[in-house]
Amino acid sequence: RDLHSFPTRRSSDLLPRLRRWFERLIAINRQLAQDDPQLFATYVQLAASGRPVVERHANELIQQVAQIIEAGISKVEIIDLPEAPVTARALFEATARFHHPALMQERTAAEADAAFELVWDLLLTGLVDPEQMTMPRPRVRRGLPPHKR
């Protein structure tokens, strides 16, 4: 159930692997919230008050993303500007609404999945060099299903 066993250093299919990493992070947090909502609410409160612990955990996750990005840079699947750790942090921050415990419950899973699809497609356009792409460039789809505000 954790991301520590997620393969970050293999050298094939790096962009899909990067997406799977984020999908797994989202799924882990969703499952935790679903399995025991009361415990998850306590976790959210503790996370809000324990900044150094939360920061350390986030940095560990960002390091995993950076390892995937570094492999992508070395295989020329991902552009190298900015550097991998900066790109990893940017991706982590840009997708926080989908995996951050305090934010992820604002939408239903289906609404969040549709929004993640839009965000991921947009992020992917900034990760790849169009001249080096071997797969079709993603198209950012317009519109989201209505969601509760």
Side-chain angles (χ1 to χ4, degrees):
R1 282 216 311 171
D2 68 60
L3 287 162
H4 296 292
S5 62
F6 194 86
T8 56
R9 296 189 185 267
R10 284 195 330 226
S11 63
S12 62
D13 302 324
L14 294 159
L15 292 170
R17 188 155 19 104
L18 186 60
R19 180 184 172 116
R20 285 191 309 272
W21 187 94
F22 278 101
E23 288 172 340
R24 187 166 179 187
L25 176 62
I26 293 165
I28 287 168
N29 283 331
R30 266 190 202 159
Q31 191 64 50
L32 289 171
Q34 185 178 12
D35 287 351
D36 192 339
Q38 212 169 19
L39 181 62
F40 191 73
T42 302
Y43 165 68
V44 170
Q45 289 176 348
L46 288 173
S49 65
R51 293 295 282 160
V53 173
V54 173
E55 184 90 13
R56 188 169 41 252
H57 176 64
N59 286 336
E60 289 172 4
L61 295 174
I62 291 165
Q63 179 57 38
Q64 290 179 26
V65 174
Q67 289 174 350
I68 297 170
I69 292 170
E70 286 167 354
I73 290 169
S74 70
K75 299 239 344 151
V76 194
E77 290 183 30
I78 297 175
I79 61 171
D80 63 351
L81 295 173
E83 295 175 346
V86 175
T87 301
R89 181 165 291 282
L91 287 173
F92 192 79
E93 296 291 340
T95 58
R97 162 166 253 126
F98 309 106
H99 56 76
H100 189 286
L103 301 174
M104 59 181 264
Q105 295 180 321
E106 294 177 350
R107 303 175 183 196
T108 66
E111 291 166 344
D113 289 345
F116 179 75
E117 196 68 36
L118 288 170
V119 169
W120 186 257
D121 282 355
L122 183 63
L123 293 172
L124 188 59
T125 63
L127 289 176
V128 295
D129 178 352
E131 296 188 16
Q132 298 292 327
M133 282 195 76
T134 58
M135 58 187 199
R137 190 168 179 84
R139 291 184 322 176
V140 177
R141 292 176 284 289
R142 303 283 184 239
L144 286 172
H147 65 279
K148 300 173 188 163
R149 293 185 191 253

